Amino acid sequence: MPESEYSITAPDTFGTKAQATAWLAKQRTLIGEGKVNPTAIVTTFGEYASMWLAGRELKVSTRTLYTRQLSRALMPTWADVRLAEITPAAVRAWHATLLPGRPTERAHVYALLRTILGTAHRDDLIAANPCRVSGAGSTKRAKPIRPASLAELEAITAAVDERFRPMVLLGAWCALRFGEVTELRRADVDVTSGVLRIRRGVTWLTGAPVVDTPKTEAGSRDVAILPHLLPMLATHLRQHVARGPDALLFPLEEGQNVQLSPHRFRTPFNRAKAAAGRPDLTFHGLRHTGAVLAAASGATVAELMARLGHTTPTMAMKYQHAAADRDRVIADALSDLAVAARA
């Protein structure tokens, strides 16, 4: 673009004409070399991020999460910084002090910044994405999840309130997420065919229940119910679930039709876990338990993906590896028994 066809507005005023002239000459050089887009000189991250978020088709829960991450972790540092001034060194320095002790949230916030600036790069506003901190957008679980044994699962089920027993067992044996199981309604359960129809989930990012379809197409799925759970589930539907196809299986209170929140479930679940000697187990740990048991039963990666609602084989492979590790423990224990018998 010829120089006469655009104008450059300085981000600040200058003390002398010489300073202004030097700044303008530098910007023209950078623009001429294709290193800076004139728009990026005056567009702040806050302005661009707001436009970026407004222009995205997102699930309600995802939009809520991004809005929260922007306001709490990104805007305080970057809102007034112009896109052209966000450098790799600045990003690295910011990341070094970001959310200490909260590695998962830290990774997600960094990934959001990287995504937004990646779009700015594709929009030709910046020459390159300045988010270059190796591995910053991913995290490793601090402690591996230890699946519940069958005896522990039985003990937890026996100790939890009666109306929550099917919820615990469906979470484990059907490998459901908390938001999936607490949004199950009478119409989603086909006891005759032995199938759960997972079509929605509930999140609590705003402090109130937000119901939406699964994030991915794979999340919308039919899950076969284990035959030995069907009699208990039929009893639960008869004794604890209100009439009507929209009645929740596990409401906040019986007779209501408000979803059970993680906060309200915490007390009865903690009590049951303590009674079973597994205070460390989370509800997601129950899902992990079901996935590992399914893998141990011989389920293929594709079958695990379908049952758990995964879009990639990565997580399914983790469950298969966990099942293989557990099989090695069992083999070693059996070998010890054999050796002891010969002694």
Side-chain angles (χ1 to χ4, degrees):
M1 179 184 294
E3 185 177 301
S4 59
E5 293 185 20
Y6 63 80
S7 62
I8 304 174
T9 303
D12 298 293
T13 56
F14 298 95
T16 67
K17 182 178 180 180
Q19 290 174 338
T21 301
W23 180 87
L24 182 60
K26 179 180 178 181
Q27 302 310 312
R28 283 174 170 169
T29 298
L30 292 173
I31 292 169
E33 295 174 350
K35 295 180 179 179
V36 173
N37 184 313
T39 304
I41 298 175
V42 294
T43 302
T44 65
F45 174 83
E47 293 167 342
Y48 185 78
S50 297
M51 292 186 294
W52 180 91
L53 187 61
R56 291 292 176 279
E57 292 187 8
L58 301 169
K59 295 287 185 183
V60 173
S61 58
T62 303
R63 186 174 298 279
T64 301
L65 176 62
Y66 285 175
T67 300
R68 177 179 298 180
Q69 290 174 338
L70 279 166
S71 63
R72 294 183 179 180
L74 293 178
M75 292 303 192
T77 298
W78 304 111
D80 297 327
V81 180
R82 290 163 176 80
L83 292 175
E85 297 171 352
I86 303 177
T87 65
V91 172
R92 191 174 296 107
W94 163 79
H95 180 263
T97 60
L98 175 65
L99 299 170
R102 295 153 71 181
T104 300
E105 187 177 357
R106 183 187 192 194
H108 291 170
V109 168
Y110 176 86
L112 178 58
L113 176 65
R114 184 179 59 192
T115 299
I116 294 172
L117 293 178
T119 306
H121 177 218
R122 290 190 293 275
D123 286 344
D124 293 326
L125 291 175
I126 52 178
N129 191 331
C131 293
R132 304 174 193 174
V133 182
S134 179
S138 59
T139 184
K140 292 183 179 179
R141 192 179 300 276
K143 294 182 180 179
I145 296 177
R146 181 164 65 93
S149 67
L150 295 182
E152 289 168 344
L153 181 58
E154 184 177 350
I156 291 171
T157 305
V160 80
D161 298 358
E162 180 183 358
R163 71 186 185 98
F164 295 138
R165 287 174 186 169
M167 178 176 163
V168 169
L169 290 173
L170 291 178
W173 288 110
C174 294
L176 301 184
R177 301 175 177 92
F178 184 85
E180 292 173 340
V181 74
T182 51
E183 176 50 26
L184 282 175
R185 299 173 185 267
R186 184 180 284 275
D188 300 320
V189 184
D190 186 342
V191 177
T192 302
S193 301
V195 171
L196 294 176
R197 297 185 177 91
I198 309 300
R199 298 294 184 270
R200 301 167 311 282
V202 58
T203 58
W204 294 82
L205 289 173
T206 62
V210 176
V211 178
D212 208 338
T213 55
K215 288 186 177 181
T216 65
E217 185 176 344
S220 182
R221 63 200 190 278
D222 291 347
V223 179
I225 307 169
L226 278 67
H228 77 274
L229 299 181
L230 290 173
M232 177 191 62
L233 190 56
T235 299
H236 178 80
L237 287 166
R238 186 170 59 252
Q239 296 181 353
H240 298 286
V241 180
R243 294 184 180 275
D246 290 333
L248 289 164
L249 263 63
F250 308 106
L252 183 65
E253 301 290 347
E254 288 196 58
Q256 297 182 356
N257 212 36
V258 178
Q259 291 86 351
L260 176 69
S261 70
H263 175 73
R264 290 293 297 273
F265 183 63
R266 187 173 298 124
T267 297
F269 191 46
N270 284 351
R271 185 169 55 244
K273 292 188 300 178
R278 283 300 308 273
D280 61 299
L281 192 68
T282 63
F283 197 89
H284 185 73
L286 294 178
R287 172 172 160 86
H288 190 92
T289 299
V292 171
L293 290 171
S297 74
T300 66
V301 171
E303 289 166 341
L304 285 175
M305 288 172 61
R307 188 166 180 82
L308 274 69
H310 287 153
T311 55
T312 67
T314 304
M315 286 302 298
M317 286 298 295
K318 289 183 179 180
Y319 294 126
Q320 285 204 329
H321 292 160
D325 291 343
R326 182 60 188 161
D327 189 54
R328 171 47 54 194
V329 172
I330 294 170
D332 291 344
L334 290 172
S335 183
D336 290 341
L337 289 175
V339 171
R342 290 198 302 267

